[in-house]
């Protein structure tokens, strides 16, 4: 199945790990480093735009992140 192939893909795994690190760092920056966080997010958005990411993709990604966090945190 395609989703299983994706989960086994090393590039996908590395991107997922980068996403988790970015989320963790972002949460740490809220408050004292909000200006730096804003600059970093704008830069990240610019890079993703170059990769072809479209604004209509963000709600889907948001739901996926929330679902993943819920799954991870439900046992904690």
């Amino acid at each position: 199945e395609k989703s299983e192939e994706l989960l086994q893909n090393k590039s996908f795994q590395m991107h997922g790990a980068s996403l988790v690190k970015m989320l963790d760092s972002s949460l740490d920056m809220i408050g004292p480093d909000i200006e730096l966080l804003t600059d970093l997010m704008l830069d990240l958005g610019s890079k993703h735009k170059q990769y072809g990411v479209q604004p209509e993709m963000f709600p889907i990604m948001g739901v996926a992140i929330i679902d993943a966090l819920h799954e991870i945190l439900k046992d904690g």
Side-chain angles (χ1 to χ4, degrees), residues 22-52:
M22 185 275 305
L23 288 172
D24 186 49
S25 296
S26 297
L27 291 173
D28 288 341
M29 290 181 176
I30 293 176
D33 297 317
I34 195 69
E35 290 177 10
L36 175 60
L37 176 60
T38 300
D39 291 342
L40 291 171
M41 292 296 108
L42 289 171
D43 183 56
L44 186 62
S46 178
K47 288 178 184 174
H48 279 75
K49 183 177 181 180
Q50 292 174 6
Y51 300 144

Side-chain angles (χ1 to χ4, degrees), residues 54-65:
Q54 300 294 314
E56 55 271 11
M57 296 174 178
F58 286 100
I60 297 165
M61 189 64 191
V63 170
I65 291 171

Side-chain angles (χ1 to χ4, degrees), residues 2 6-7 9 11 13 21 39 42 46 48 50 58 66 69 75-76:
K2 284 215 177 255
L6 187 59
L7 291 174
N9 182 291
S11 179
Q13 291 173 2
K21 287 179 187 175
D39 291 342
L42 289 171
S46 178
H48 279 75
Q50 292 174 6
F58 286 100
I66 291 169
L69 289 172
D75 295 329

